[in-house]
Amino acid sequence: MIDNLIISLIAIVGAPIIGGLLFGIDRRITARLQNRFGPPILQPFYDFFKLLGKESIAVNQIQMMYVLSHLFFAIAALLMLVLRQDLLMLMFIFAFSTISLIIGAMSVRSPYSKIGAQREIMQMLAYEPVLLLMVFGVYKVTGSFMIQSILDYPMPLIYSLPLVFFAFLYVLTIKLRKSPFDFSTSHHGHQELIKGLTTEFSGTQLALIELTHWYDLMILLGLIALFFAQPLWVGILIALGAYFLEMVIDNICARVTWPWMIKATWLIGVGTALVNIIGLYLRP
Amino acid sequence: MGLMNTSRMKSPWIIHVNCTACNGCDIEVVAALTPMFDVERFGIVNVGNPKHADVMVVTGCVNPKTARVLKNIYDQMPEPKLVLAIGACGGTGGIFAECYNVLGGPDKVIPVDAYVPGCPPRPEAIIDGAVAALGLFEAKAKAMKEKAKKAAEKAKAEA
Ligand code: SF4
């Protein structure tokens, strides 16, 4: 019991620190790839604290609640991960976190925010089936939804679920809202949707959304690591490698349109995951 | 200088407003964002959204049409905020000062904190101006706090 408490505390405090640092390194590497010098590695933290100190301009009173639930559901999902709980439940809670943000963006009257929210819904439509198939594949292999059973399973999951892992890597780009799928909140400002989903959030609210993004990153990297556990350090290395791959993809891709994304994700993501799972059934 | 102030100075997000400029200054402002000058090393990001911005970079002079727009964008920015006026037009109206429809520089409509002279100024000068203006954030934040305190006292007195 006390162990669990300590693990949870470490996760809640440590995850955003590592996540923020990773985003800082991301910005630095992106700058280097574009032949620029780039901001300091601590830049995300400077942004975060600066936003906390801004005057708060709330468009309506309910907005803050949605931002907070966006954050709390993400923390809950992280806790389920580190406490090795139910993977299926984790996915639902994780989805709830995104839905809170969507509702928050829908609660204002700015068209940019609304279009951003609609695009985010399209993104969810694209990646949720893949995530569910992944959970299903894990169940098929280990016979349980619990993350503990993945860790107890004698072989790393990647041997039985290589294509599911590929599909998960594919949706990782969508989940992180990176190019070519960065259309719900354009990664760089000054584009057709200003800042999409987050246009109407400012100051503290934006800081909390940023914080949630760090938690999200850690959850996703944790899920990647699960495929290679045990030993866990291999998983962590692979997760970091996957994140580096994301940075490169982010820099070499132009943005696609949402119909293209849905078609491609359902075809490639759901397709490969399904092939993998059907293969599991056919295996003697 | 606390953590908050360091962060403020290290992460100024700008919004670029073209307010009756001839586009000369705008090209130089945008040039400052390119890999050649790379203002992101100071944490400067061009956000294009007044609600996220800390520094307004305004180019050109003001006429009756743009005055309303400029004021509107300025009001949407959350405190503490800075305004940087670029170019000769940003100071006095420059070569357009005598035109029948020109009111003068942006300081006729909103409070300007720093001016970068030149027609157009070089990107180096613009970066210099932006970095110099950041020193004003501390005083601005203090003023913001005092204003909030006064508003709270007034609300209390009324209640
Ligand atoms: S200062 Fe010169 S370059 Fe800049 S907007 Fe005015 S006329 Fe154009």
Side-chain angles (χ1 to χ4, degrees), chain A residues 36 47 50 54-55 200, chain B residues 11 40 51-52 54 79:
Chain A
R36 292 187 288 120
D47 292 350
K50 175 204 72 180
K54 296 280 281 185
E55 177 193 21
E200 290 292 315
Chain B
S11 146
E40 209 193 346
K51 288 205 171 144
H52 295 178
D54 309 295
E79 294 275 0

Side-chain angles (χ1 to χ4, degrees), chain B residues 21-25 60 87-89 95-96 118-120:
Chain B
C22 78
N23 261 334
C25 285
C89 294
I95 53 167
F96 304 118
C119 182

Side-chain angles (χ1 to χ4, degrees), chain A residues 120-140:
Chain A
E120 183 71 24
I121 294 175
M122 290 302 166
Q123 295 196 353
M124 284 191 81
L125 198 66
Y127 66 69
E128 281 301 324
V130 181
L131 292 185
L132 283 183
L133 278 177
M134 172 189 134
V135 176
F136 185 66
V138 171
Y139 176 77
K140 186 77 190 76

Side-chain angles (χ1 to χ4, degrees), chain A residues 43-94:
Chain A
Q43 189 62 45
F45 297 104
Y46 293 139
D47 292 350
F48 177 75
F49 286 115
K50 175 204 72 180
L51 286 172
L52 276 187
K54 296 280 281 185
E55 177 193 21
S56 59
I57 303 182
V59 182
N60 54 36
Q61 286 179 337
I62 203 90
Q63 218 183 6
M64 192 63 181
M65 202 195 84
Y66 291 125
V67 173
L68 283 178
S69 53
H70 180 49
L71 175 65
F72 285 142
F73 279 121
I75 294 180
L78 180 77
L79 287 186
M80 293 196 74
L81 181 68
V82 293
L83 297 181
R84 302 180 292 275
Q85 293 298 310
D86 197 321
L87 192 58
L88 188 63
M89 205 61 200
L90 189 157
M91 288 302 173
F92 286 141
I93 291 185
F94 204 25

Side-chain angles (χ1 to χ4, degrees), chain A residues 27 31 34-40 43 45-57 59 188-190 194-195 198-203 206, chain B residues 3-4 6-8 10-13 16 33-35 38 40-49 51-54 75-81 144:
Chain A
R27 278 177 73 172
Q34 296 167 356
N35 209 1
R36 292 187 288 120
F37 184 73
Q43 189 62 45
F45 297 104
Y46 293 139
D47 292 350
F48 177 75
F49 286 115
K50 175 204 72 180
L51 286 172
L52 276 187
K54 296 280 281 185
E55 177 193 21
S56 59
I57 303 182
V59 182
H188 305 281
H190 244 329
I194 318 268
K195 264 296 186 189
T198 52
T199 302
E200 290 292 315
F201 297 104
S202 60
L206 193 64
Chain B
L3 174 68
M4 214 57 120
T6 321
S7 308
R8 271 193 196 114
K10 290 212 174 231
S11 146
W13 291 356
H16 170 205
L33 303 171
T34 56
D38 185 28
E40 209 193 346
R41 64 205 149 109
F42 304 114
I44 300 179
V45 180
N46 188 3
V47 285
N49 177 1
K51 288 205 171 144
H52 295 178
D54 309 295
D75 287 342
Q76 283 186 48
M77 290 169 58
E79 294 275 0
K81 55 191 168 188
M144 175 183 106

Side-chain angles (χ1 to χ4, degrees), chain B residues 72-84:
Chain B
N72 188 351
I73 297 176
Y74 179 79
D75 287 342
Q76 283 186 48
M77 290 169 58
E79 294 275 0
K81 55 191 168 188
L82 291 176
V83 179
L84 189 62

